[in-house]
Amino acid sequence: MDECYHEAIEKLRDRMREADHRGQPDANACALATSGDRGLPAVRMVYLQFTDDHEPIFFVNGNSGKGRDLEVNPHAAVCFFWPQLQEQAILEGGVTPLPEAEADRYWRQRSRDSALAAWVSRQDLPQGDTEEVRRKVREVKRQFDFESVPRPRQWVAYRLDAERIEFWVSSWRRLSGRQLYRRDADGRWTTATQEP
């Protein structure tokens, strides 16, 4: 792994840990931006995880809008904002679906509640009333009892092959310091800092 890229990923993981330490709920939640065949941008929230090799990954329902977007246009951007730190981070690049066995392994790292919710989620349709959704979750809980909850086949794990990673820190009078990591055409990573 390129040292400069490794530095950027470690900085991202450090900021997530620090945000969590300061009480930020869901410090690994980020806004995922995609664009489909019509070229129109769409954004929604996802949770970012890391592979054993420190590569960023996220799961999407392949039947959802974001799933269809990524199938047509395998590029994405994610943006984190941690209010407790007054910092944000942006990653942009191509995406690659993980092999099934690897996706299953990382799926097992998700919380049980999150995995159960995925089984009742119909992201291609309106959800209906809250009580109906809760009833379906209870049914799925009974189905799996105390077993681990398997990954639904329509849920796809994507690795984000970042080409650009930017960190933004707020400062006095909303001026911001930025650190940009970028991969050049030869695949080498460089970094530059802009002070407020």
Side-chain angles (χ1 to χ4, degrees), residues 13 24 57 82 123 139 143 170 173 178 190 194:
R13 297 183 78 172
Q24 169 97 26
I57 64 169
W82 303 291
Q123 297 188 8
E139 285 178 10
Q143 177 185 344
S170 181
R173 292 196 180 175
R178 297 168 188 250
T190 59
Q194 173 189 335

Side-chain angles (χ1 to χ4, degrees), residues 16 33 106 159 168-169 186:
M16 291 166 69
Y106 290 115
R159 182 183 69 235
W168 174 95
V169 181
D186 297 324

